[in-house]
Amino acid sequence: MAKSLKQRLAILSDAAKYDASCASSGTQRRDSSASGGLGSTEGMGICHAYAPDGRCISLLKILLTNFCIYDCVYCVNRSSSNVERARFTADEVVWLTLEFYRRNYIEGLFLSSGIIRSSDYTMEQLVRVARDLRTLHNFRGYIHLKTIPEAAPQLIEEAGLYADRLSINIELPTDQGIEQFAPQKHPARIRRSMSDLSLKIEAAKEPTLKTKRRQRFAPGGQSTQMIVGVDGATDATILGSSVDLYSRFRLRRVYYSAFSPIPDASSALPLSRPPLMREHRLYQADWLYRFYGFDVAEITSVRADGNLELDIDPKLAWALANRDRFPVDVNRAEKEMLLRVPGLGTISVPSILSARRHKRLRLDDLERLRVSVCKVRPFIMAEGWSPLRLTDRTDLRELFASKPQQLSLFG
Amino acid sequence: MIRLGLRGRGDLAEWRDAARALLRAGVGPGDVEWQVRYDGADLFGLADDPLPPPDPAVPAPTVPAAFLTLADAVICHRDPARFALLYRLLWRVQGERALLSIPSDPDVARAETLEKAIRRDAHKMKAFVRFKEMGLPRDGRRRFAAWFEPDNFIVGRTSGFFQRRFTDMDWIIATPKGSAAWDGRELTLSDQPSAKPDLIDATDDLWRTYFTHIFNPARLKVQAMQSQMPKKYWKNLPEADLIPDLIAGAEDRMREMIDREATQPKPFHHRIRERE
């Protein structure tokens, strides 16, 4: 019996939820006031709901179909899985996107698909949805399209014209991992596609010589996802792989997805599952690399085994391993060093820099800057405050370590 | 002591006119008592004092642009002390020109706290307003209505976002703190409390289906959800009443996935693999 739209929506959102990205920020600013159409992107992403897994729901994240000719071991939609299959027509996805958007449930669409027939056929279907939204329906909301690495260049070109963001998942941090767990995918080809996207994205940022106008190609950049805990890669390997992707292909984001139980899992998957906290620590480390001036090696060398601490965050772990760098004087220290203080961040540091031009800061000044004084106190000096020398304290780790309650989730 | 009552429903001009007159008359922050004047009746039976005439000895006041941006947000806050706080800042900034760049100053810190609350409230409004369709299109335009309950008087400052986004449809956003409506030509604002529209939209059912199935029961993080989507918003979100059952059933669903034996692939899998 034919499945209703609602039944297929259920199947194809179940199939899409293992893609972590739901970002709708960082694209060009635009709205519908001149066109009289529908939709806007005004810089900041908006999460229209949160599921009880704590994840932001910003986009209608669905698969066009979960039929797939690939057999990636970790994937819920692999060809050998017995999950229920379904597919949408391009028109149905267009309709759902617009109706959801009008009710302000979403910022736009994140469309992906299992590979059916061929890479070009699949990519063509994805592009058609984006093209219809933009050209037939005057839709100016956010569109993220999954890119099929093997698809023809003109299809990628068109995808970039309509989409805000394109993404290709690297899936696993090492080439051996990809070969072992995603036998139909080819790491070299994935990287070549990322490189092609990166060149097109950079080129589109420059006005062309002839028309002086910028071409449009994925103004929200490209992102990727790595699954954590399927192969044996350490956090150092994972983060090293991210740095490589960030620097070579100028990715906007690398998403980490702690592999979690899926319906009808393959027996080839490892039995032990990574704690969700590991994924969280990887995101924190990724942040330290991108916004806090840390080298990945500084963060991952704290432990001999190349993994991050689970019970304390990587910045604190680095501070405790480098106690001789503290205390930091909030009234004199350079911005770079302030950013390395556990408890200070990219919002409080500029406030400190601004305020200290006018007065010498005390702990109660920091409190008014919404800094958690009890967290930073052991690491800083301020007017009227100097801490015990860190090297003399043995209880610091216990002071900050959180109860690792997340570990029990997978029992 | 000069006693002044303002309606205080997010209108900066109302406060600015009074503040400018006080400043030009040289009235210090300690000599003004600001009150919220409620519509209809004066709650305390007090009449406003007349604004004093300008003092020719007081130079014409000037303010940095950053002050107006800050005041424009702070005035929307429901805190009854906002008028006095802004006047104190206005008074001080006449002499202390760098005041606003000292975020550790107690007055500046307080104003920034209020501003932050307004930004968050407006952001949540953009996120959690839910439009429901009102019957059939009229003159070729579809019509929608939403009910939202903001903490502060933010409908006016947030309405432009909805106008720029939902341009091709008619809509009204009704709240206890005012309303905004768009008909394709004009944005109509009111600061009067609105009545809650009673509407049912069948598409909510599809959205609820999506919400249920995009949730991964193997990654329950209730605290993370609730800090971003506090319960006070739930009553106006069509998906929120699904949450308790999704949480309650998550553990069992995850167990089932873990305990389940691997199955045998269907024939189509073998056919595809044979082609390789």
Side-chain angles (χ1 to χ4, degrees):
Chain A
M1 205 182 70
K3 297 184 180 89
S4 70
L5 182 71
K6 183 174 159 176
Q7 287 167 324
R8 285 177 293 140
L9 177 62
I11 294 169
L12 292 167
S13 16
D14 265 327
K17 67 179 147 205
Y18 301 98
D19 244 309
S21 167
C22 208
S24 57
S25 56
T27 188
Q28 57 179 181
R29 296 174 72 94
R30 56 173 190 262
D31 63 49
S32 293
S33 43
S35 73
L38 178 72
S40 61
T41 50
E42 302 199 353
M44 217 180 187
I46 298 174
C47 294
H48 287 270
Y50 288 82
D53 51 23
R55 280 181 165 171
C56 154
I57 301 177
S58 180
L59 304 171
L60 171 61
K61 179 161 55 177
I62 44 174
L63 262 56
L64 195 59
T65 176
N66 65 339
F67 286 102
C68 190
I69 59 177
Y70 286 7
D71 198 38
C72 308
V73 172
Y74 50 83
C75 182
V76 67
N77 305 311
R78 70 191 185 285
S79 65
S80 59
S81 158
N82 281 323
V83 289
E84 219 176 332
R85 310 277 172 172
R87 67 175 292 182
F88 283 131
T89 64
D91 286 344
E92 283 168 335
V93 176
V94 168
W95 184 85
L96 275 172
T97 307
L98 293 169
E99 292 306 312
F100 275 22
Y101 197 88
R102 287 189 185 287
R103 286 162 181 81
N104 205 37
Y105 304 150
I106 53 169
E107 287 294 290
L109 174 68
F110 177 2
L111 186 61
S112 179
S113 181
I115 311 285
I116 41 172
R117 296 197 220 173
S118 69
S119 298
D120 279 355
Y121 178 81
T122 309
M123 194 69 216
E124 220 168 70
Q125 295 292 306
L126 299 182
V127 169
R128 199 194 130 190
V129 170
R131 184 201 307 126
D132 285 0
L133 280 169
R134 295 285 191 233
T135 60
L136 296 181
H137 300 280
N138 217 345
F139 177 70
R140 299 187 157 228
Y142 192 91
I143 299 178
H144 177 165
L145 291 184
K146 186 63 77 56
T147 312
I148 319 281
E150 290 80 4
Q154 65 269 28
L155 286 170
I156 305 289
E157 197 72 50
E158 218 188 338
L161 181 63
Y162 301 121
D164 291 285
R165 171 166 290 184
L166 298 175
S167 66
I168 304 167
N169 285 355
I170 189 86
E171 307 293 12
L172 293 156
T174 64
D175 287 6
Q176 301 90 292
I178 300 176
E179 277 149 24
Q180 184 185 352
F181 292 99
Q184 289 82 29
K185 296 198 174 180
H186 309 287
R189 207 178 290 174
I190 292 174
R191 277 194 292 269
R192 196 190 320 135
S193 306
M194 284 180 171
S195 166
D196 289 347
L197 286 185
S198 155
L199 292 172
K200 288 198 171 83
I201 291 166
E202 290 306 313
K205 284 180 181 165
E206 301 295 327
T208 60
L209 279 175
K210 266 192 200 149
T211 60
K212 305 284 181 214
R213 283 190 59 188
R214 283 169 224 276
Q215 290 174 303
R216 207 192 127 95
F217 192 88
Q222 64 169 325
S223 61
T224 194
Q225 171 166 301
M226 250 184 250
I227 298 170
V228 173
V230 169
D231 59 358
T234 63
D235 292 339
T237 306
I238 292 169
L239 291 165
S241 183
S242 300
V243 168
D244 186 54
L245 295 171
Y246 280 128
S247 50
R248 285 168 67 189
F249 309 129
R250 305 204 194 177
L251 293 192
R252 285 295 182 83
R253 282 292 294 275
V254 174
Y255 290 91
Y256 305 95
S257 181
F259 137 73
S260 69
I262 53 171
D264 199 32
S266 160
S267 54
L269 283 176
L271 283 170
S272 67
R273 291 159 177 106
L276 285 181
M277 185 53 87
R278 183 173 176 201
E279 176 191 294
H280 183 58
R281 296 296 182 226
L282 284 167
Y283 276 117
Q284 288 177 317
D286 184 282
W287 233 256
L288 292 180
Y289 163 70
R290 289 189 298 144
F291 304 115
Y292 285 76
F294 280 87
D295 267 345
V296 160
E298 290 181 284
I299 311 167
T300 53
S301 61
V302 170
R303 277 170 60 119
D305 66 1
N307 283 318
L308 301 170
E309 304 268 11
L310 287 177
D311 58 345
I312 55 174
D313 68 75
K315 194 174 173 190
L316 179 62
W318 176 84
L320 294 182
N322 293 276
R323 296 174 185 225
D324 55 313
R325 306 280 295 269
F326 297 93
V328 169
D329 185 343
V330 293
N331 286 302
R332 303 172 62 100
E334 302 276 328
K335 180 182 169 197
E336 290 67 31
M337 197 54 215
L338 287 173
L339 281 171
R340 288 181 173 240
V341 175
L344 298 184
T346 48
I347 293 174
S348 52
V349 167
S351 296
I352 289 172
L353 294 175
S354 176
R356 78 181 188 186
R357 276 196 287 272
H358 304 280
K359 63 173 298 200
R360 288 189 57 79
L361 301 178
R362 311 177 59 88
L363 290 184
D364 57 345
D365 289 314
L366 294 179
E367 196 140 24
R368 280 189 293 272
L369 297 177
R370 291 179 282 271
V371 167
S372 165
V373 168
C374 67
K375 182 159 189 195
V376 298
R377 207 162 42 189
F379 300 100
I380 59 163
M381 286 197 309
E383 184 71 12
W385 168 256
S386 42
L388 260 174
R389 276 179 50 204
L390 274 191
T391 37
D392 297 337
R393 288 190 72 158
T394 54
D395 59 337
L396 268 177
R397 192 188 169 90
E398 290 67 36
L399 206 63
F400 290 109
S402 58
K403 301 278 170 292
Q405 44 176 236
Q406 306 250 16
L407 292 177
S408 66
L409 261 183
F410 288 114
Chain B
M1 180 68 73
I2 293 178
R3 192 178 287 144
L4 282 177
L6 300 182
R7 294 182 65 243
R9 300 185 70 86
D11 180 11
L12 183 65
E14 181 194 33
W15 173 86
R16 194 187 53 209
D17 291 347
R20 191 186 286 140
L22 292 169
L23 199 60
R24 298 205 66 176
V27 181
D31 297 322
V32 199
E33 192 182 314
W34 299 88
Q35 294 176 336
V36 179
R37 192 178 66 213
Y38 294 90
D39 288 334
D42 188 338
L43 215 56
F44 305 101
L46 301 166
D48 277 357
D49 290 328
L51 288 167
D55 177 347
V58 175
T62 57
V63 289
F67 176 82
L68 285 177
T69 310
L70 181 68
D72 199 45
V74 170
I75 204 71
C76 298
H77 204 281
R78 66 189 185 287
D79 181 355
R82 64 194 179 281
F83 308 127
L85 171 68
L86 285 177
Y87 189 62
R88 207 156 56 239
L89 279 171
L90 177 66
W91 180 267
R92 290 182 57 199
V93 87
Q94 300 307 311
E96 306 168 53
R97 297 309 281 188
L99 179 61
L100 294 182
S101 56
I102 312 176
S104 58
D105 177 272
D107 284 340
V108 177
R110 177 67 188 156
E112 285 185 351
T113 301
L114 298 189
E115 184 194 32
K116 202 173 153 212
I118 294 303
R119 272 205 309 268
R120 180 176 163 93
D121 204 10
H123 187 73
K124 294 299 180 193
M125 178 171 170
K126 293 171 189 173
F128 298 147
V129 154
R130 294 283 185 264
F131 284 117
K132 292 179 195 287
E133 188 152 25
M134 308 160 69
L136 295 170
R138 191 179 290 163
D139 303 328
R141 290 175 65 86
R142 292 173 67 181
R143 298 173 300 134
F144 292 82
W147 171 251
F148 187 72
E149 294 174 56
D151 291 336
N152 302 293
F153 300 96
I154 55 163
V155 176
R157 66 187 279 122
T158 316
S159 60
F161 166 85
F162 291 96
Q163 182 195 343
R164 293 188 296 276
R165 171 166 290 199
F166 300 102
T167 316
D168 74 352
M169 60 194 225
D170 289 0
W171 51 260
I172 176 161
I173 300 171
T175 89
K177 292 186 164 64
S179 64
W182 167 252
D183 63 3
R185 288 181 304 273
E186 229 171 321
L187 185 66
T188 309
L189 298 177
S190 159
D191 64 13
Q192 296 297 317
S194 298
K196 183 176 175 176
D198 186 20
L199 289 170
I200 292 171
D201 188 325
T203 306
D204 279 351
D205 189 38
L206 287 174
W207 170 243
R208 288 162 57 87
T209 301
Y210 178 66
F211 185 79
T212 303
H213 289 271
I214 204 67
F215 162 57
N216 183 350
R219 308 175 47 106
L220 203 57
K221 278 189 182 176
V222 179
Q223 217 33 56
M225 168 191 67
Q226 235 158 274
S227 69
Q228 296 297 334
M229 197 168 76
K231 277 190 168 166
K232 66 180 176 188
Y233 294 110
W234 289 18
K235 60 180 184 293
N236 295 319
L237 293 171
E239 67 274 20
D241 65 353
L242 296 163
I243 292 171
D245 284 348
L246 290 178
I247 294 172
E251 177 80 31
D252 284 348
R253 287 173 65 194
M254 185 181 68
R255 274 283 140 228
E256 201 186 319
M257 289 190 275
I258 293 173
D259 295 344
R260 190 159 158 196
E261 301 259 328
T263 57
Q264 289 306 309
K266 293 225 168 93
F268 95 105
H269 166 70
H270 298 294
R271 285 200 301 275
I272 296 165
R273 298 283 76 90
E274 275 160 21
R275 276 191 253 144
E276 284 183 347

